Amino acid sequence: MIRKVVDNLTDHDVVGEGESLGQATDSVRQRRPDVLVLSSTLLAEGPQTVGELIDRTEAALVVVAIGGSGSSVWHGMSGGASGYVLRDRLPNDLPQALGAAEAGNAFVSAPLARQMIGYLADCFDNGYDGPSRSDVIRALLPRERETLQRLAGGESTGEIAEAMSVTTATVRAYVSRILRKLRVRSRGEAVVVAYRSRFYSPRRTHPEANPSAGGGHGTARALHR
């Protein structure tokens, strides 16, 4: 169904497909498309997180799911996915998700967005016993703090590298150190800590690095002409 929807778009082409996560990532590395559209069933095959998959392929990622919990959508989007689309809304939502991905923005199907908001509301309502804002500041070096701020703000690895004038490999190294120091397993968990500790606030428009800083199966790839 993904292929059918993309084939009906005048400004996108499918340049490769795969029936496993390995086939999909191999094809992406060979053909270097702008966007990888991936079934959530394939995403579940691999041990890597969304962020690790994006780093490996260097393509924007749009996930297509039959359904999804607020937690899974939040972790996917905070891990760097550009879109999360319900399969039964593909004809309407996939074109919007592709356009958002190519513009460096994000798109989530409305029912999934509501679930994600509910999940975040529950997170903030429940007791939080993780690191405080001051704990995060003390644990991280200035460039690591800036990286976490930018991750929490939804920036991709490439966007962070460009903004900080470093390579993507350096950004990945910063992220690895952040995960180790905050004792979390994924980018999504690190972003949750950034929010819940109040280290990051959406109201801040520019990340600061100084110590006082606040807080079906198958894939199709769409190439914008």
Side-chain angles (χ1 to χ4, degrees), residues 116-178:
M116 183 170 65
I117 291 168
Y119 167 73
L120 292 174
D122 288 342
C123 284
F124 283 101
D125 287 342
N126 293 333
Y128 172 67
D129 59 359
S132 66
R133 176 174 174 272
S134 58
D135 290 335
V136 174
I137 291 172
R138 283 195 298 268
L140 304 181
L141 296 173
R143 297 292 263 179
E144 295 164 359
R145 290 196 290 269
E146 182 175 355
T147 299
L148 180 57
Q149 288 268 4
R150 292 184 180 279
L151 280 176
E155 294 185 28
S156 67
T157 299
E159 290 169 336
I160 295 171
E162 182 176 359
M164 296 176 63
S165 300
V166 297
T167 66
T168 55
T170 298
V171 174
R172 294 183 192 111
Y174 289 156
V175 172
S176 294
R177 293 203 293 266
I178 290 167

Side-chain angles (χ1 to χ4, degrees), residues 204-221:
R204 298 187 181 93
T205 58
H206 182 70
E208 301 176 54
N210 61 62
S212 62
H217 299 290
T219 67
R221 293 171 301 149

Side-chain angles (χ1 to χ4, degrees), residues 5-225:
V5 172
V6 177
D7 282 345
N8 286 332
L9 302 177
T10 59
D11 55 352
H12 294 80
D13 290 321
V14 175
V15 297
E17 296 178 282
E19 295 187 356
S20 69
L21 186 60
Q23 289 177 3
T25 53
D26 287 346
S27 183
V28 170
R29 285 195 293 268
Q30 292 170 6
R31 299 179 181 269
R32 302 180 67 83
D34 294 329
V35 184
L36 167 64
V37 183
L38 186 71
S39 168
S40 61
T41 56
L42 296 191
L43 186 60
E45 289 181 2
Q48 64 266 62
T49 64
V50 166
E52 290 168 338
L53 178 61
I54 293 171
D55 285 346
R56 287 177 56 198
T57 61
E58 297 185 352
L61 174 66
V62 173
V63 178
V64 176
I66 296 175
S69 66
S71 173
S72 63
V73 177
W74 163 252
H75 283 87
M77 295 301 293
S78 62
S82 297
Y84 224 101
V85 178
L86 280 172
R87 184 174 175 82
D88 62 6
R89 297 171 67 100
L90 272 179
N92 179 69
D93 288 3
L94 183 57
Q96 297 183 68
L98 292 175
E102 290 166 345
N105 298 319
F107 178 88
V108 179
S109 290
L112 296 177
R114 288 192 289 270
Q115 291 186 40
M116 183 170 65
I117 291 168
Y119 167 73
L120 292 174
D122 288 342
C123 284
F124 283 101
D125 287 342
N126 293 333
Y128 172 67
D129 59 359
S132 66
R133 176 174 174 272
S134 58
D135 290 335
V136 174
I137 291 172
R138 283 195 298 268
L140 304 181
L141 296 173
R143 297 292 263 179
E144 295 164 359
R145 290 196 290 269
E146 182 175 355
T147 299
L148 180 57
Q149 288 268 4
R150 292 184 180 279
L151 280 176
E155 294 185 28
S156 67
T157 299
E159 290 169 336
I160 295 171
E162 182 176 359
M164 296 176 63
S165 300
V166 297
T167 66
T168 55
T170 298
V171 174
R172 294 183 192 111
Y174 289 156
V175 172
S176 294
R177 293 203 293 266
I178 290 167
L179 301 187
R180 174 172 51 80
K181 291 179 178 180
L182 296 184
R183 298 181 180 180
V184 295
R185 295 173 296 177
S186 70
R187 293 182 182 208
E189 290 183 11
V191 170
V192 169
V193 169
Y195 271 84
R196 300 196 68 189
S197 68
R198 311 296 181 181
F199 172 77
Y200 174 81
S201 170
R203 291 187 295 273
R204 298 187 181 93
T205 58
H206 182 70
E208 301 176 54
N210 61 62
S212 62
H217 299 290
T219 67
R221 293 171 301 149
L223 181 65
H224 184 67
R225 290 177 178 170

